[in-house]
Amino acid sequence: MTGMTIIKAIQINDSALIASNVAEDDYPAFVIDRVPPYILKERVIVVAANVHKVFESLQDANSGHDPMLDNQKSPVWWLEVSATNRWKMLDEYISSQTENVGTIEVELYAEPVIGALSIQNMEASTLHLTMTAPVDGIVFEDTVDLVSDSGIDDYYEYWFSPVQRLTTYNFLELPLYSESSIKIELENGSGLVKCGAVVLGLPQDIGMTLYGLELSRTDYSSVATDDFGNTGVTKRGNTRNIAMTVRINNDELASVDKLLSEYLSVPAVYVGTDIYQEATTLYGIYQDYSITVQYVSESLVNIRLRGFI
């Protein structure tokens, strides 16, 4: 198989979001002394400098209590629900999706040098990407048909199988520019377009991924059975996990060890191999890694990754 790539995510804040066609009007804006007071389960949005959040009232007669000052580990008045719809695709959660009818158009400013872009948990028919540099103008442009041919082995399946679409797509060889503008356009005709995560960063190749790569999921749903034997499931999120072995040259031992140590508890996109990009792309952190000096000139790096919900 081909090499493993890591994309360290750069922070996307107010100054990085140039434009978006997704309105930020999920709920009314929070008012500190609103009359009448907020009631139980009423929702508001708080929009300020680098703050774009949805909160839900935990009590009736809720007035004079700032959601941003409530302790979110044990909230009393306000529960933080999510990012606003516009910003869900730019938070650290994969399952929370920005939604818009017809198109999602977002333009981002990347001050540091970037060379890769990963878009995950999409529901769209086409993806169009344009990268513009300050002096050179448009330096990259591509349109991707998101119809997937995974599992299509003959003409019968081609014509009669349900249409499946790619939900993850990576651009791993963007031109290396700083202070660039990245315009992302997702289209789905007149239907609903969704996007779970957009990650920009500088790609770093680690080594050659070996066969034997393992894909798994951890489900956080709970199953409870009462005294009468009735069983119910409380549906919760699940995370993707990947375990892989990467072969590196022994003269890279120190640099790879140092690089991986810098990613401890740091969100990043991991692409196991170019061949199976959608299946082996994960946005999360690695649980652990170990390096075995297996041969005279080569070593094996064993990595276990855990994705975000």
Side-chain angles (χ1 to χ4, degrees):
M1 289 199 286
T2 56
M4 172 191 173
T5 302
I6 303 177
I7 307 171
K8 185 177 181 180
I10 66 170
Q11 184 180 15
I12 299 177
N13 52 26
D14 285 0
S15 62
L17 181 59
I18 299 173
S20 172
N21 73 330
V22 180
E24 196 168 25
D25 58 358
D26 313 33
Y27 301 98
F30 170 73
V31 178
I32 187 72
D33 293 316
R34 196 194 71 165
V35 179
Y38 294 104
I39 62 174
L40 177 67
K41 293 189 178 301
E42 191 169 359
R43 291 188 174 186
V44 298
I45 62 171
V46 175
V47 177
N50 296 320
V51 176
H52 303 268
K53 296 182 177 182
V54 176
F55 289 89
E56 182 175 281
S57 178
L58 293 173
Q59 299 189 43
D60 288 323
N62 187 352
S63 180
H65 304 102
D66 189 339
M68 296 298 295
L69 299 180
D70 213 344
N71 183 354
Q72 290 306 304
K73 290 186 177 179
S74 54
V76 176
W77 292 100
W78 293 99
L79 175 67
E80 183 178 328
V81 177
S82 67
T84 58
N85 185 38
R86 175 184 292 179
W87 282 84
K88 284 181 179 179
M89 64 189 293
L90 303 173
D91 62 13
E92 292 185 352
Y93 300 98
I94 304 298
S95 58
S96 62
Q97 295 172 296
T98 294
E99 300 182 1
N100 205 42
V101 175
T103 64
I104 292 178
E105 297 180 7
V106 173
E107 188 172 0
L108 302 172
Y109 170 71
E111 183 176 5
V113 175
I114 66 165
L117 167 68
S118 180
I119 306 178
Q120 301 183 28
N121 197 14
M122 293 183 291
E123 291 185 28
S125 58
T126 59
L127 161 63
H128 186 78
L129 180 71
T130 306
M131 181 177 183
T132 305
V135 177
D136 296 339
I138 295 177
V139 294
F140 182 88
E141 189 169 12
D142 192 17
T143 299
V144 180
D145 184 348
L146 295 175
V147 173
S148 173
D149 59 2
S150 177
I152 304 299
D153 298 320
D154 54 41
Y155 283 109
Y156 180 86
E157 291 179 340
Y158 177 84
W159 289 110
F160 297 105
S161 294
V163 174
Q164 296 186 5
R165 292 176 177 170
L166 297 173
T167 59
T168 295
Y169 197 86
N170 303 315
F171 297 92
L172 299 179
E173 296 181 351
L174 295 178
L176 300 178
Y177 281 90
S178 62
E179 300 181 346
S180 59
S181 168
I182 307 293
K183 186 174 183 181
I184 301 165
E185 300 170 83
L186 294 170
E187 300 180 359
N188 197 24
S190 60
L192 197 62
V193 184
K194 301 180 182 180
C195 182
V198 171
V199 180
L200 296 170
L202 193 64
Q204 294 178 291
D205 295 330
I206 302 302
M208 183 66 66
T209 303
L210 303 182
Y211 282 99
L213 182 147
E214 296 180 6
L215 308 176
S216 64
R217 286 186 181 268
T218 300
D219 186 11
Y220 293 95
S221 301
S222 64
V223 180
T225 304
D226 63 21
D227 294 339
F228 300 96
N230 299 310
T231 300
V233 178
T234 301
K235 182 66 176 176
R236 296 191 176 96
N238 62 84
T239 59
R240 296 179 63 243
N241 309 301
I242 298 179
M244 68 182 76
T245 299
V246 178
R247 186 178 63 214
I248 64 172
N249 295 325
N250 282 346
D251 57 5
E252 299 173 344
L253 271 173
S255 61
V256 170
D257 181 48
K258 182 177 183 297
L259 174 64
L260 291 176
S261 68
E262 294 173 353
Y263 282 87
L264 284 168
S265 303
V266 175
V269 171
Y270 295 84
V271 183
T273 170
D274 285 347
I275 301 176
Y276 311 113
Q277 272 200 42
E278 183 176 27
T280 66
T281 297
L282 181 145
Y283 184 29
I285 58 176
Y286 64 80
Q287 296 176 334
D288 56 57
Y289 75 91
S290 63
I291 300 178
T292 303
V293 182
Q294 190 80 11
Y295 309 105
V296 173
S297 60
E298 296 178 334
S299 294
L300 302 180
V301 184
N302 299 293
I303 304 174
R304 293 194 305 150
L305 306 170
R306 182 179 68 215
F308 294 146
I309 292 178

